[in-house]
Amino acid sequence: MAAGGPIRKDKLFFHLVYEGFRERLGLTKIADTLPLSAKADASRIEPIMRPLVALYPNPNLPGDRVTFSYSQPTREDFGQARSDYTLNQNDSAFVRYTTTSASRLEPHDFEDYTTSRTSRGQWITLAENHVFSPTLLNTFRFSFSRTKTFIIDPSEFIGPQYSLVPGRPLGTVAVGGFSSLGSDAPNS
C-alpha cells in the first residue's frame, strides 16, 4: 500500500509505503528417534541420562522414526515515510524514516522444541543537495540506523535433571544416528 502527493505545490511532497506479509506455513517433520527397546530397560541407562532419554518421543512410524505436523507462523512488516522539500532551484532536501520488523516460530526435530526469531530495524536519513553550477553538485547526508535481532529457544525443561549448564535450560543433546534433542541457538 502506498500514498503520496504534494503538501505545497512544487515545494513540499510526502510519500508513505507499507508492506506486510503473513504466513502460516503448514509442514510435516520426520525425525529419527530412540527405539522403544532403548528406553524400555532403564537399568542399562546411566541414572544421570534417564531424564534426557525420557524426553525423546516414542516412534510413531516404522524404522524408529517420529512425525508431526506443525504451523510455522511468519510475520513481516515494512514501512517508510519520506518528505521532499525544494527550497529553491539550487537547493533541495529530504528526510526518510524506514522501519521493518519480522518474527518466525520454527520447530526443531521434535515437537516440543521451537526457536522464536524476531528482528527490528529502524533507519532515518536526512539529506540536502546544493547545485553550485551545471557541473558541480554537493550532497550532504546524515543517517542513523539501529537493528536488533533476538533468537530465543524457550524450553519447558528446566531443572538440574535437564540442565547441561547449571541454572540454564536444556541445551542440545546429540546422539549419533538420531535427530538432535533440545534447542540449537543460544538463550539470552
Side-chain angles (χ1 to χ4, degrees):
M1 170 175 27
I7 297 173
R8 280 186 51 206
K9 186 177 179 182
D10 297 330
K11 286 286 187 185
L12 184 61
F13 304 88
F14 79 96
H15 184 76
L16 304 171
V17 65
Y18 169 79
E19 294 177 22
F21 174 74
R22 305 290 184 271
E23 180 180 59
R24 298 266 186 253
L25 184 62
L27 297 169
T28 300
K29 193 126 184 155
I30 298 174
D32 297 312
T33 189
L34 297 177
L36 285 174
S37 61
K39 297 168 77 173
D41 188 3
S43 65
R44 293 180 30 204
I45 302 170
E46 288 291 325
I48 197 166
M49 293 301 296
R50 287 181 192 148
L52 297 175
V53 169
L55 294 178
Y56 276 89
N58 292 333
N60 60 11
L61 291 176
D64 298 319
R65 303 183 92 196
V66 63
T67 185
F68 65 95
S69 56
Y70 63 93
S71 174
Q72 180 176 284
T74 302
R75 177 193 56 80
E76 296 177 4
D77 294 297
F78 170 84
Q80 190 171 75
R82 178 176 169 145
S83 181
D84 291 85
Y85 184 64
T86 303
L87 288 82
N88 55 50
Q89 73 179 41
N90 292 331
D91 291 291
S92 62
F94 76 81
V95 61
R96 178 180 59 221
Y97 173 75
T98 305
T99 183
T100 182
S101 65
S103 68
R104 173 180 282 175
L105 185 65
E106 300 171 347
H108 294 279
D109 290 333
F110 299 116
E111 196 168 9
D112 293 332
Y113 309 97
T114 60
T115 295
S116 173
R117 300 177 189 276
T118 60
S119 64
R120 174 127 170 108
Q122 295 176 299
W123 301 268
I124 189 162
T125 303
L126 305 168
E128 194 271 336
N129 293 326
H130 179 78
V131 177
F132 288 100
S133 71
T135 58
L136 184 60
L137 168 71
N138 181 62
T139 298
F140 168 81
R141 287 197 181 186
F142 173 80
S143 293
F144 175 78
S145 63
R146 178 173 58 186
T147 58
K148 292 187 178 209
T149 301
F150 301 97
I151 301 173
I152 301 169
D153 285 329
S155 176
E156 311 168 13
F157 306 106
I158 299 173
Q161 72 274 30
Y162 303 118
S163 235
L164 303 176
V165 177
R168 302 289 292 179
L170 176 67
T172 300
V173 177
V175 178
F178 302 101
S179 299
S180 295
L181 178 72
S183 60
D184 69 352
N187 285 300
S188 316

